Amino acid sequence: MNEEFMQNLFRIAEELSRAGWAEANAGNISVRLRPEEYPTDPAAGPWQPLAIAIPALAGEQFLVTAKGCQIRNVPHFPRRDCGVLELNGDGTAYRVVWGLEGTVPTSEFFAHLLSHAVRKEQSGGAERVILHTHPVTLVALCHVMELDSVKLTRLLWSMHPEGVALFPGGIAYLPFALSGSREISAMTCEAFQKFPMVLWEYHGVFASGRDLDHAFGMIQAAEKCANIYKAACELGGVTRTLRDEEIAAMASFLHLTPAPGILNLSGGANHAL
Ligand SMILES: [Zn+2]
């Protein structure tokens, strides 16, 4: 495997573990590889059919983490704890071409592939990484308030001016569903039509980014905003936040377009808190 690519993967795996977002076998990663990142020593296994054809990803190769693997172990056992899958020419089947020695792809593998198909189209091919992890404070927010995509994104953006700068696409909120189910895959794909990041209620985040650092950074920024909210609550409660006009000005200053439908710029109430 491409040494620089693998070192970057190992660094992000360690960061996820150190952040406390990947306990035990939690979390999974997939990367739609560039041709220069394809395995240099491929060993193709048998073709296996996909439950649903994904022609948008035909012929592509993906690095995926293994089912049940502990993210912190990926740097130490890369050929066991991750691997590379190749899709066939019409996107109806896949085979392992590197790694996954004695293991199988993450149970979220199909949700990852469907997510890649949506985000590849939405980003014009720029986004290549789907990262799933369990950031503590974002998950805790689900337990203390009723949320939806607008309320969650607006709350986070209002906590720090770099919120809208670092995840201008916002974050969708999905009601509880069983992980690994078709239902959560379908809801995540629908949310990814509009948002590059999704919070699964009581569970964790699915984020799509251009590369590993971009996906990790978006989650880190959203978690930072949630932590600022938590700290403000601990200091006696939130009484002041960035106003929607100030968030919009920040985005405009950086030539970013915030996710539509989040900010209320009509002069009404400033915040939904
Ligand atoms: Zn999870």
Side-chain angles (χ1 to χ4, degrees):
M1 287 294 292
N2 180 299
E3 180 65 19
E4 187 180 344
F5 174 84
M6 292 304 281
Q7 288 303 321
N8 200 34
L9 174 72
F10 297 164
R11 187 175 53 76
I12 292 295
E14 284 165 356
E15 292 260 9
L16 285 165
S17 183
R18 199 176 303 125
W21 301 347
E23 72 284 355
N25 60 354
N28 35 66
I29 301 169
S30 66
V31 184
R32 186 166 59 86
L33 297 175
R34 300 172 194 279
E36 61 268 29
E37 295 164 342
Y38 287 2
T40 50
D41 53 344
W47 289 108
Q48 300 175 60
L50 286 168
I52 302 172
I54 312 178
L57 302 178
E60 301 249 31
Q61 293 193 18
F62 295 83
L63 178 131
V64 297
T65 47
K67 183 179 183 180
C69 88
Q70 310 223 348
I71 291 288
R72 65 177 171 274
N73 286 334
V74 167
H76 307 291
F77 305 99
R79 284 176 173 270
R80 181 195 71 184
D81 288 349
C82 59
V84 175
L85 309 176
E86 176 186 26
L87 266 62
N88 66 358
D90 55 6
T92 57
Y94 72 96
R95 61 182 177 181
V96 177
V97 294
W98 182 90
L100 290 171
E101 293 178 353
T103 53
V104 295
T106 167
S107 53
E108 302 289 356
F109 161 56
F110 200 60
H112 276 249
L113 283 187
L114 292 173
S115 300
H116 274 291
V118 173
R119 291 309 304 178
K120 181 184 175 185
E121 184 184 353
Q122 292 294 325
S123 69
E127 292 177 13
R128 292 180 169 275
V129 169
I130 300 287
L131 175 55
H132 169 58
T133 192
H134 299 171
V136 178
T137 311
L138 283 167
V139 174
L141 287 180
C142 307
H143 295 280
V144 297
M145 62 176 70
E146 293 281 338
L147 287 167
D148 56 39
S149 303
V150 171
K151 189 171 180 187
L152 174 63
T153 300
R154 206 169 177 215
L155 168 65
L156 297 175
W157 283 354
S158 74
M159 289 294 121
H160 195 285
E162 297 207 349
V164 74
L166 293 171
F167 53 103
I171 177 167
Y173 187 82
L174 294 189
F176 179 77
L178 295 176
S179 51
S181 66
R182 282 176 181 253
E183 183 188 11
I184 207 163
S185 278
M187 287 199 302
T188 302
C189 285
E190 189 181 346
F192 269 151
Q193 300 276 358
K194 293 182 182 169
F195 296 88
M197 187 159 53
V198 176
L199 178 61
W200 288 355
E201 191 171 61
Y202 311 135
H203 184 148
V205 171
F206 243 63
S208 174
R210 296 184 297 275
D211 53 35
L212 285 161
D213 275 302
H214 182 224
F216 182 85
M218 284 198 308
I219 301 171
Q220 199 176 30
E223 175 73 350
K224 169 58 86 63
C225 291
N227 275 323
I228 292 170
Y229 175 73
K230 178 186 163 198
C233 290
E234 289 167 354
L235 287 168
V238 175
T239 58
R240 309 170 66 235
T241 71
L242 284 165
R243 291 181 292 115
D244 286 1
E245 293 78 3
E246 292 166 330
I247 297 166
M250 182 70 189
S252 173
F253 182 63
L254 296 172
H255 308 292
L256 296 168
T257 305
I262 306 294
L263 300 174
N264 177 4
L265 302 173
S266 61
N270 273 330
H271 207 275
L273 281 173

